[in-house]
Amino acid sequence: MTIPLLTLNNETTMPAMGFGVFQTPPDATIAAVEAALQTGYRHIDTAAAYQNEREVGEAIRRSGVDRADVFIETKIWITDYGYDATLHAFDKSARKLGVGHIDLLILHQALPGEFTLTIEAYKALETLLADGRVRAIGVSNFMPDHLTRLRDETSVVPAINQIEVHPYFRQSDVLTANAEHGIVSQAWSPIGGITFYRDGSHGSTLDDPTIKSIAAAHGKSPAQAMLRWHLQQGRQVIPKSVTPSRITENFDVFDFDLTEDQLAAIDALDTGVRGGPEPDHITRETFGLEISEA
């Protein structure tokens, strides 16, 4: 099965579904990414802060899939913000991945209290884009005010904004802002895993009666129904798993369509409660992480 492509605002194309490796231990990453590539995924999403870029690169090499056919995305962590530091961070990531260029390079968070550093980091991404070392650039966890400030002080509109989006936290205001700027919304935790592995007080989206009913109507699993909800609303999704059967299941979402009523019913499940950290609470002091050279 061939995954549909999304066209970014610089005409670069990206698969509508990717494979994520957040919280995947390095010793499990190679097998998981190889399984994903064997299944048919052609976009791998990693990050310097995940500390598994090296294993992602090794899995791609072992897979036998041509590098030109794999869309690699990674992220710069906040401790490497600043113009020169971010250029060096690219070198570190490219070296670990074992690649000459990166398809999509994004800033992992905004630093609201040190937004000048955020701007300088993004300007480094613009340089890397102009030099052809990356094919597209973007951001992650940026709120509408962050996007406005970025637009006012830089030249290149981000191609994507990777944000927490799932049925229990839709972030409609951010989705609207992304669309207004011509930015593709990329959903992390697209099936709501964060609702039960970080804070189980809202229950699991996988057990939600509405989602289960919609999934059953199509002969699909709740996870498949949620991924289809994202895709039909124009979002790119990056589900993650280390279980081969679930990796395959998550990929099998291109042969059915939810009705408008079903899409609206899932929209209505939004609780407005964020599972990840508050974007305005991100500081280098609280979330600092040293990114190794090798």
Side-chain angles (χ1 to χ4, degrees), residues 26-41:
D27 60 359
T29 298
I30 293 176
V33 172
E34 280 194 285
L37 292 170
Q38 183 177 22
T39 298
Y41 293 83

Side-chain angles (χ1 to χ4, degrees), residues 191-218:
I191 62 175
I194 197 166
T195 65
F196 47 90
Y197 66 67
R198 185 165 292 175
D199 175 8
S201 62
H202 299 287
S204 168
T205 49
L206 296 172
D207 295 327
D208 187 276
T210 297
I211 296 172
K212 290 175 71 174
S213 175
I214 290 171
H218 294 276

Side-chain angles (χ1 to χ4, degrees), residues 78 108 179 219 285:
I78 57 175
H108 208 142
E285 291 73 23

Side-chain angles (χ1 to χ4, degrees), residues 1 20 34 52 68 92 98 126 152 176 203 207 219 237 241 254 264 278:
M1 182 182 297
E34 280 194 285
N52 56 17
K92 289 192 289 187
E126 291 180 319
D152 291 344
T176 297
D207 295 327
V237 290
S241 180
F254 298 102
E278 287 291 339

Side-chain angles (χ1 to χ4, degrees), residues 158-190:
I160 69 104
N161 185 10
Q162 184 184 119
I163 57 174
E164 178 185 348
V165 186
H166 49 77
Y168 287 175
F169 189 61
R170 190 175 183 273
Q171 292 211 87
S172 297
D173 59 333
V174 186
L175 296 178
T176 297
N178 288 345
E180 289 174 349
H181 288 285
I183 300 169
V184 168
S185 294
Q186 186 179 53
W188 65 260
S189 195

Side-chain angles (χ1 to χ4, degrees), residues 18-263:
F19 181 75
V21 294
F22 172 58
Q23 291 187 325
T24 303
D27 60 359
T29 298
I30 293 176
V33 172
E34 280 194 285
L37 292 170
Q38 183 177 22
T39 298
Y41 293 83
R42 289 297 180 265
H43 169 209
I44 308 299
D45 171 72
T46 183
Y50 299 170
Q51 300 183 10
N52 56 17
E53 289 173 308
R54 187 181 301 101
E55 289 74 20
V56 166
E58 181 62 25
I60 293 170
R61 287 187 291 276
R62 290 188 189 184
S63 73
V65 178
D66 194 296
R67 163 67 183 98
D69 294 331
V70 182
F71 191 94
I72 299 175
E73 174 179 3
T74 193
K75 310 173 191 70
I76 305 293
W77 188 239
I78 57 175
T79 42
D80 281 338
Y81 281 12
Y83 186 81
D84 290 336
T86 298
L87 292 178
H88 183 61
F90 163 83
D91 290 335
K92 289 192 289 187
S93 287
R95 184 165 58 247
K96 291 172 188 175
L97 288 162
V99 298
H101 76 277
I102 292 170
D103 298 288
L104 176 60
L105 185 62
I106 69 177
L107 300 184
H108 208 142
Q109 300 276 355
L111 277 176
E114 298 181 284
F115 209 74
T116 298
L117 272 180
T118 308
I119 293 296
E120 290 304 309
Y122 193 78
K123 287 181 176 178
L125 299 193
E126 291 180 319
T127 295
L128 293 165
L129 179 67
D131 291 347
R133 287 179 281 177
V134 300
R135 296 177 59 216
I137 61 176
V139 295
S140 180
N141 301 304
F142 272 49
M143 298 299 99
D145 61 318
H146 302 148
L147 293 173
T148 298
R149 293 174 68 183
L150 191 71
R151 179 194 62 195
D152 291 344
E153 299 184 51
T154 60
S155 301
V156 178
V157 176
I160 69 104
N161 185 10
Q162 184 184 119
I163 57 174
E164 178 185 348
V165 186
H166 49 77
Y168 287 175
F169 189 61
R170 190 175 183 273
Q171 292 211 87
S172 297
D173 59 333
V174 186
L175 296 178
T176 297
N178 288 345
E180 289 174 349
H181 288 285
I183 300 169
V184 168
S185 294
Q186 186 179 53
W188 65 260
S189 195
I191 62 175
I194 197 166
T195 65
F196 47 90
Y197 66 67
R198 185 165 292 175
D199 175 8
S201 62
H202 299 287
S204 168
T205 49
L206 296 172
D207 295 327
D208 187 276
T210 297
I211 296 172
K212 290 175 71 174
S213 175
I214 290 171
H218 294 276
K220 295 290 185 177
S221 71
Q224 290 170 318
M226 285 184 272
L227 291 171
R228 191 66 206 164
W229 168 69
H230 288 287
L231 293 166
Q232 284 185 230
Q233 294 187 340
R235 292 184 290 281
Q236 204 260 8
V237 290
I238 42 174
K240 70 183 189 73
S241 180
V242 295
T243 305
S245 61
R246 291 200 185 103
I247 290 171
T248 301
E249 175 187 308
N250 290 341
F251 191 78
D252 186 21
V253 293
F254 298 102
D255 59 351
F256 71 107
D257 288 302
L258 304 182
T259 67
E260 290 301 318
D261 286 346
Q262 289 170 336
L263 293 171

